[in-house]
Amino acid sequence: MVPLSYYLILSTLMFGIGMFGALTRRNAIGILMALELMFNAVNLNFVAFSRYLPQPLLQGQIFAIFVITVAAAEAAVGLAIVLGLYRNFQTINVDEINLMKW
């Protein structure tokens, strides 16, 4: 049986890589992918803690399914926004899009 600490280390690494990608990427698609990586790190934590709780109920798995559903909706809305930005600005580089700037 794999110890809980291995799952926590893996999810911390995944979340860190996702955070680094979200903060350093200039491409809007790359930022969305980094956000999805952070969501998956959280899901891994939910399932790992659910597995190692004294009373194994399905709470962690249910939360993970909920997060996956929210992530799918977020991806659909995010890709629609990126498509709209590309139609208006002909780029998806977030540095070149200054819609909210004066």
Side-chain angles (χ1 to χ4, degrees), residues 14-82:
M14 286 174 57
F15 193 85
I17 291 170
M19 179 72 77
F20 178 76
L23 294 177
T24 59
R25 289 283 182 165
R26 300 292 174 236
N27 187 335
I29 301 291
I31 293 171
L32 285 175
M33 290 173 58
L35 288 175
E36 294 295 327
L37 189 60
M38 288 192 288
F39 279 135
N40 285 329
V42 171
N43 285 338
L44 183 61
N45 266 342
F46 279 140
V47 173
F49 278 117
S50 173
R51 174 71 177 93
Y52 285 94
L53 283 177
Q55 296 175 345
L57 299 175
L58 295 177
Q59 295 156 337
Q61 286 86 355
I62 291 171
F63 274 118
I65 290 172
F66 180 73
V67 170
I68 289 170
T69 305
V70 170
E74 174 261 337
V77 171
L79 288 175
I81 290 172
V82 169

